[in-house]
Amino acid sequence: MLRIRHKAEGKPGALLAERVDRPEPAAGELLVRVGAIGVTLPTVRKLWERGDGPVALGGEIAGEVVALGPGVEDFALGEHVTGLCFADAYAEFAVLSTAMASRVPAGVTAVDAVAVVRSGLVALGAYEAARPQLHESVLVTAAASGVGVMALQYARALGAGRVVAAVSSRAKVDFVRWMGADEVVRYADADWGGPYDVILDGVGGDLLAPAVRCLAPGGRLVAFSSGGGAVEAHELLLRGASLIGFQMRAVAAGQPERHARWQRELWQLYGAGTLRPAVHAQIPLSQAARAHALVERRRNLGKVVLVP
Ligand SMILES: NC(=O)c1ccc[n+]([C@@H]2O[C@H](COP(=O)([O-])OP(=O)(O)OC[C@H]3O[C@@H](n4cnc5c(N)ncnc54)[C@H](OP(=O)(O)O)[C@@H]3O)[C@@H](O)[C@H]2O)c1
């Protein structure tokens, strides 16, 4: 089968295509014939920013179960599943932990499933972490990203008041409006239209401090980006505001029942038409580098998907 990995040597981010045997699922794992793979910003960033050795490429996958690891009883051969795969997701066959897997409802394509599953779970989890009240104002940064478009739709559907999208470029404005934003601001704008009760921040870094300054009294900022960043405690206490960290992997490992509830809610909302998948491009797996370049250059409107 075809598998793409990061090259240990060479320029940062360079990818290596190999022909290898299919992996074997271990206890608690499924072997999946992969129909689609989601490109994620954390994976792309790791390769470009570290670039110091081989990095296993993770991402959402969706496809058909073709083998079960020892002891797996809650999934069956032939079922269609999706979930986040932390290593060697860029392959024709990949191993998925049952803890991360959810069944794909009938009629949902593999491409739509990867556009919805991880992004939707992160957006749902981050929004819940903010403890939103009805009619509160919400700002979503990186609003055109895979997670961002799901966050806009959740906020809209779950009773937010004003939903504002923040993006880097003018080229994303119409898209995020179409995905549910009432208003759009750009990071370079002097005024971000605050104050906001809730901020869902998928950018971090230098944007974190100005975002905190946009919080309303009692406001909550959920930091879920891979971008780091620092905040002055004084900016929080001035507003009685809170900064809340969120990582889906930690919830999946530490609170599996909460993770399972989000999976159920995600597919219910999808089935009800509340969540629309947004796919920027479907790119052959063999051209993964092209897909990475799109995300690295911040050009994508929604999810970039690789197709084996
Ligand atoms: N905590 C968790 O469990 C978790 C899980 C998955 C993803 N995330 C985070 O959610 C955010 C969105 O991820 P995604 O996979 O949905 O992204 P994606 O679909 O690949 O979209 C990438 C977009 O993110 C924005 N972005 C923000 N910081 C960036 C940077 N330093 N370099 C390049 N693009 C940047 C860009 O939009 P703009 O140019 O408009 O900003 C870019 O177009 C990321 O920060 C990621 O780390 C967190």
Side-chain angles (χ1 to χ4, degrees), residues 39-42 45 118-119 122 142 145-147 167-168 172 187 202-203 224-226 246-249 295-296 298-300 302-303:
V39 175
T40 72
L41 180 58
R45 283 185 75 132
R118 158 191 159 278
S119 302
V122 174
S145 68
V147 178
V167 293
S168 57
K172 299 182 179 182
Y187 309 143
V203 179
F224 62 90
S225 81
S226 51
F246 175 79
Q247 190 194 42
M248 195 188 60
R249 189 174 184 169
V295 174
E296 172 68 18
R298 304 176 88 132
R299 296 281 168 81
N300 56 306
K303 195 79 204 160

Side-chain angles (χ1 to χ4, degrees), residues 91-138:
E92 288 170 312
F93 292 85
V95 162
L96 180 64
S97 149
T98 53
M100 301 305 297
S102 62
R103 282 179 189 81
V104 177
V108 180
T109 65
V111 169
D112 281 357
V114 298
V116 165
V117 71
R118 158 191 159 278
S119 302
L121 290 172
V122 174
L124 186 55
Y127 195 52
E128 185 177 293
R131 301 181 308 279
Q133 306 291 310
L134 278 180
H135 311 309
E136 282 191 322
S137 52
V138 178

Side-chain angles (χ1 to χ4, degrees), residues 8 16 34 40 47 57 62 70 108 118 131 137 143 161 172-173 180 188 192 207 214 251 266 269 294 307:
L16 174 71
V34 177
T40 72
L47 303 189
L57 301 171
V108 180
R118 158 191 159 278
R131 301 181 308 279
S137 52
K172 299 182 179 182
V173 169
W192 285 9
L207 235 62
C214 289
V251 175
L266 172 81
L269 289 166
L294 258 175
V307 183

Side-chain angles (χ1 to χ4, degrees), residues 15-56:
L15 300 179
L16 174 71
E18 299 168 299
R19 288 266 153 208
V20 296
D21 291 339
R22 293 180 190 187
E24 290 287 334
E29 292 179 342
L30 310 170
L31 181 67
V32 177
R33 185 198 313 276
V34 177
I37 305 147
V39 175
T40 72
L41 180 58
T43 295
V44 174
R45 283 185 75 132
K46 252 190 250 164
L47 303 189
W48 281 88
E49 291 173 5
R50 289 223 308 263
D52 57 352
V55 177

